[in-house]
DNA sequence: TCAGAAGTTTGCGCAAACGCAACGTTTGCA
DNA sequence: TGCAAACGTTGCGTTTGCGCAAACTTCTGA
């Protein structure tokens, strides 16, 4: 296990209210792991025996339908806990977590969860805030899917991605990990064809630039307008 | 406040692990309230100063878009807690709760939440299981909306409703509270026209019977098939 | 009891988005 | 270096489900 600095965890929500000793103790029980792009950190339905903290990279949380189609439920940006099934009373992971880029994560055996929750005071509260945020996000997704057209949904998806893991570059803001049209279509409930067409149109319009597995939003403000406020 | 029997709460998840004294104590702090059909128990964005336990009736949890369209996020069946914003670190209600039928609910000031969680052991865990279930339901909704056609979505919505609050009658299973085509369309992200057409077709087919504000599924099994397993 | 509100049905035309198919381009690996 | 796999583009026909409109039925309350 590499040497880990507690200053790494200090600013992150679940630890923000803990003292140095507590963080040190938690950190000592963690294992650092690396996952290649495309690798599954855990699979839907498997026993939830670890929980994770994403140090670097992005995680794509997907569910697979009976027909084998993938649906992306959520993206997890660096700095967040994930795989915290126990917090919701689950014994198995409710979805599959895939590394959208190369990923570094800390992992703890799930058996420690209970003790962290009872031992460290802010831990539970801060965790449930994260879950609250995710519930809010999911709710927003449902509303979108119910009322918005494909164009607006894709615009929102891109905005959400640049909010979470956008990088400022000279031409605008680019999404911080490799992403295909297929990926975007799985986030928005469309087909890769529709996404491709739309991105082409937007590119002609100067709204975005896109290379293979890379999308850069040149005009975020116009994108917000397009997304329907 | 009417006289309440603790045998009322005993079998419900959040209380199932508590002893009689604890239940009695919690019950003594509750206020019983009645809401007319269509009344809002609380509104999105308002300070979350009470949480509720639904004793009788059904609650419809809705969000309203910027354009004024309603989207139904969830239905809450009798026996469940709702309005538990604090559990997710919120200070305001994230959605509006409307009585789908006449409703009886117990309410507690949100200030008691913290003390129940810390004082009674099973309370938190059981509550988070409920939230876990709801997250799972929302996830399923997102997957559906992404991959299924209107017909399958409506079939699923009806199945979900009869699972939660179905009543066996001679012709089949009927939904236990008044529900309009508009309501169904708001649950499935369609229009009342499409729902009406579909129900008419199904009725001709012998799959359902429907009167004004009432839907009865005659052949649940065929409905499951239609819903796409 | 009767007027109007609320809920439902149905027809028709149309647009959004899908499905299929074929072809172009980049990348990684043998 | 060259080939196969992965990724992306684009055209065309088709379908689903929406939008609008009009008429009908059931319920409610003055």
């Amino acid at each position: 296990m590499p040497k880990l600095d507690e200053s790494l965890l200090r600013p992150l929500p679940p630890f923000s209210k803990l003292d140095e000793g507590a963080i040190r103790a938690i950190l000592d029980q963690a294992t650092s792991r690396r996952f290649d792009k495309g690798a599954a950190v855990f699979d839907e339905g498997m026993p939830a025996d670890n929980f994770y903290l994403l140090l670097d990279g992005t995680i794509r949380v997907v569910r697979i339908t009976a027909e084998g189609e993938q649906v992306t439920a959520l993206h997890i940006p660096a700095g967040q806990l994930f795989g915290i099934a126990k917090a919701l009373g689950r014994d198995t992971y409710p979805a599959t977590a895939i590394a959208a880029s190369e990923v570094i994560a800390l992992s703890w055996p799930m058996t420690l969860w209970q003790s962290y929750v009872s031992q460290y005071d802010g831990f539970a509260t801060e965790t449930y805030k994260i879950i609250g945020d995710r519930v809010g996000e999911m709710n927003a997704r449902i509303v979108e899917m119910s009322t918005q057209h494909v164009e607006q949904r894709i615009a929102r998806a891109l905005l959400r991605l640049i909010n979470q893991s956008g990088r400022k570059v000279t031409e605008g803001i680019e999404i911080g990990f490799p992403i295909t049209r297929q990926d975007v279509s799985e986030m928005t409930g469309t087909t890769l064809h529709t996404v491709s067409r739309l991105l082409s149109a937007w590119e002609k319009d100067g709204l975005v630039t896109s290379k293979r597995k890379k999308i850069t939003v040149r005009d975020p403000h116009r994108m917000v307008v397009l997304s329907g406020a």
Side-chain angles (χ1 to χ4, degrees), chain A residues 33-126:
Chain A
R33 299 206 205 168
R34 205 192 64 83
F35 296 90
D36 284 326
K37 193 185 74 162
V41 177
F42 52 77
D43 281 288
E44 180 172 346
M46 300 306 292
D49 35 41
N50 286 283
F51 66 95
Y52 299 85
L53 174 69
L54 186 57
L55 291 183
D56 191 52
T58 302
I59 292 284
R60 199 152 41 91
V61 178
V62 305
R63 310 201 80 196
I64 299 175
T65 67
E67 287 79 29
E69 298 166 281
Q70 286 201 4
V71 177
T72 300
L74 212 55
H75 278 262
I76 312 242
Q80 285 201 3
L81 289 173
F82 67 103
I84 49 180
K86 257 295 182 313
L88 295 174
R90 305 262 160 193
D91 293 324
T92 59
Y93 296 112
T96 299
I98 293 178
S101 55
E102 195 183 311
V103 149
I104 313 278
L106 296 181
S107 82
W108 291 264
M110 196 64 91
T111 48
L112 291 176
W113 180 264
Q114 298 291 354
S115 67
Y116 287 1
V117 166
S118 52
Q119 211 171 331
Y120 305 117
D121 222 31
F123 193 82
T125 323
E126 294 300 317

Side-chain angles (χ1 to χ4, degrees), chain A residues 174-202:
Chain A
E174 71 169 26
I175 293 171
F177 57 91
I179 187 166
T180 67
R181 330 262 137 165
Q182 175 77 32
D183 291 334
V184 175
S185 77
E186 284 170 6
M187 296 176 61
T188 49
T190 19
T191 61
L192 78 161
H193 306 283
T194 302
V195 174
S196 182
R197 280 183 250 270
L198 200 54
L199 284 181
S200 295
W202 281 349

